[in-house]
Amino acid sequence: MTITQLQYVLAVAEYQNFTLAAEKSFVTQPTLSMQVQKLEDELDVLIFDRSKKPIRITEAGQKIVAQAKNIVNEAERIKDIVDQEKGFIGGEYTLGIIPTVMPTLLPMFLKTFINKYPKVNLIIKEQSTETIIRNIQEGHLDGAIAATPLEIEYIKERPLYYEPFVGYVPKNHRLREADKLNPSDLDISDILLLKDGHCFRDGVINLCKTPKKYEDEHFQLQSGSFETLVNLADEDMGMTLLPYLNTLELDEKKKKNLKFFNKPSPAREVSLIYHKSELKIQITRALKEVISGIVRGAITFQDVKIISPITKN
């Protein structure tokens, strides 16, 4: 039994296809199939039921796959230990970032990070919180930047900054004359929201404490763009809420429509999250150091009330 064989087993289990598993493992399909077959012969058990399309994992195979994940992770930890002992910060690191953070945060830290740590090959993927959680569990992401707290047992969270919610209130809106906003002022029925799947949407709904109802509406919006929400608000289609960093890019005319909340300001906690196994922890720590140092100058808010991104039923 070899680590390579176990890695091939995990690839087949994930993709449920020998050809695709071989492609993702950068080997030929006959090579991968032969190694999986050798492992099955050695163990005298069938890991995959090849008669099914897609391939199914047998009952015994499910237990083997679960143990293989532990073994492969522990094997990778050995290299981590050596890298840490040598003080080496390098290698491939796959980072997930939620869509409502990616456009504002990534340009702030990426150039600085790659200049400071040129031996790190950073692979960045924009993913929803749900996808990030699953990929961290399955080992497809080394870390991620997401709104927290998530309260997941196998995920560690390291807060990077607290980002206040800011109201974008057009001139004809009922809250236009308010100096500051309070959560009690908000009516979810006239707030333009991002589409389902965005944790910032869930945070707004949690802030307003009531779910949005569509029975009496003349349109339903499914957009992942804050720019779209702002433009619709300008057309008197309602108000919206924005993360603070997104407001910095607005032109001066649009900034006149911004209204902050009375303290403590509702805010989202943005954290660097990773699996509790702490693989590649030296790169994770380097990321946290660089990002925290940069955003500290852009976001200095402390008197805030964290709004959970977890959907409340």
Side-chain angles (χ1 to χ4, degrees):
M1 184 187 305
T2 67
I3 298 295
T4 299
Q5 288 174 332
L6 296 179
Q7 289 172 329
Y8 291 164
V9 165
L10 293 179
V12 176
E14 177 181 356
Y15 298 108
Q16 297 179 287
N17 181 286
F18 277 85
T19 302
L20 185 56
E23 179 184 325
K24 297 296 184 178
S25 301
F26 304 103
V27 294
T28 64
Q29 190 267 330
T31 296
L32 182 141
S33 296
M34 180 184 67
Q35 290 298 323
V36 172
Q37 183 66 60
K38 284 180 65 175
L39 180 60
E40 289 178 319
D41 292 344
E42 177 184 343
L43 297 175
D44 192 24
V45 68
L46 201 63
I47 301 175
F48 301 106
D49 182 350
R50 295 159 175 80
S51 68
K52 306 291 185 181
K53 299 294 181 182
I55 292 169
R56 300 275 181 85
I57 307 174
T58 65
E59 187 175 342
Q62 290 176 353
K63 297 176 182 178
I64 292 169
V65 167
Q67 187 61 31
K69 288 181 180 179
N70 294 333
I71 294 170
V72 170
N73 281 342
E74 290 304 314
E76 292 177 352
R77 186 186 295 279
I78 293 174
K79 184 177 183 302
D80 268 2
I81 291 171
V82 174
D83 286 345
Q84 290 179 53
E85 286 296 314
K86 293 179 178 180
F88 176 74
I89 300 178
E92 191 172 282
Y93 190 97
T94 305
L95 179 72
I97 307 179
I98 58 173
T100 57
V101 167
M102 172 88 93
T104 52
L105 183 61
L106 187 60
M108 293 175 67
F109 79 85
L110 182 58
K111 185 175 181 180
T112 299
F113 182 82
I114 60 178
N115 285 341
K116 188 171 183 178
Y117 299 102
K119 295 181 180 179
V120 175
N121 178 22
L122 201 58
I123 300 171
I124 302 163
K125 298 183 178 182
E126 183 178 282
Q127 297 180 345
S128 68
T129 301
E130 182 180 359
T131 302
I132 282 172
I133 291 170
R134 183 175 66 251
N135 284 336
I136 287 179
Q137 182 181 31
E138 295 177 354
H140 302 313
L141 289 177
D142 298 305
I145 298 173
T148 53
L150 297 174
E151 301 175 359
I152 297 173
E153 184 271 334
Y154 58 84
I155 288 181
K156 290 194 172 183
E157 305 174 358
R158 296 292 178 264
L160 296 169
Y161 58 92
Y162 303 102
E163 184 174 24
F165 291 31
V166 182
Y168 187 87
V169 183
K171 60 183 179 180
N172 294 322
H173 194 272
R174 61 184 176 82
L175 295 177
R176 179 65 179 191
E177 301 306 316
D179 292 329
K180 294 284 185 73
L181 299 179
N182 294 300
S184 59
D185 297 329
L186 303 179
D187 183 346
I188 194 68
S189 65
D190 74 351
I191 295 180
L192 298 163
L193 298 173
L194 294 173
K195 64 182 178 181
D196 284 335
H198 287 268
C199 60
F200 190 80
R201 169 196 173 94
D202 297 330
V204 172
I205 292 174
N206 290 341
L207 174 63
C208 296
K209 298 191 170 51
T210 54
K212 191 172 181 68
K213 297 180 180 179
Y214 296 98
E215 289 85 350
D216 299 323
E217 294 196 353
H218 299 292
F219 72 98
Q220 293 185 28
L221 175 66
Q222 294 188 354
S223 172
S225 165
F226 284 117
E227 182 180 3
T228 299
L229 301 186
V230 166
N231 290 339
L232 286 173
D234 286 340
E235 294 298 321
D236 293 328
M237 302 301 291
M239 64 170 288
T240 193
L241 295 179
L242 304 173
Y244 173 74
L245 286 179
N246 289 75
T247 69
L248 302 181
E249 301 175 351
L250 297 176
D251 61 40
E252 293 305 313
K253 181 180 179 181
K254 290 184 184 298
K255 284 183 178 179
K256 293 178 181 178
N257 294 331
L258 297 177
K259 291 193 180 294
F260 288 85
F261 282 83
N262 283 309
K263 296 181 179 180
S265 301
R268 65 174 176 176
E269 178 183 75
V270 177
S271 298
L272 183 59
I273 65 176
Y274 50 95
H275 197 278
K276 67 178 183 180
S277 63
E278 296 190 343
L279 290 173
K280 303 184 182 179
I281 191 63
Q282 67 276 22
I283 302 178
T284 301
R285 288 171 178 162
L287 270 169
K288 184 179 186 306
E289 176 191 2
V290 169
I291 297 172
S292 295
I294 288 175
V295 299
R296 196 175 296 125
I299 299 183
T300 57
F301 301 95
Q302 298 297 329
D303 189 4
V304 296
K305 178 182 179 181
I306 304 304
I307 304 300
S308 173
I310 300 173
T311 303
K312 297 178 181 178
N313 297 321

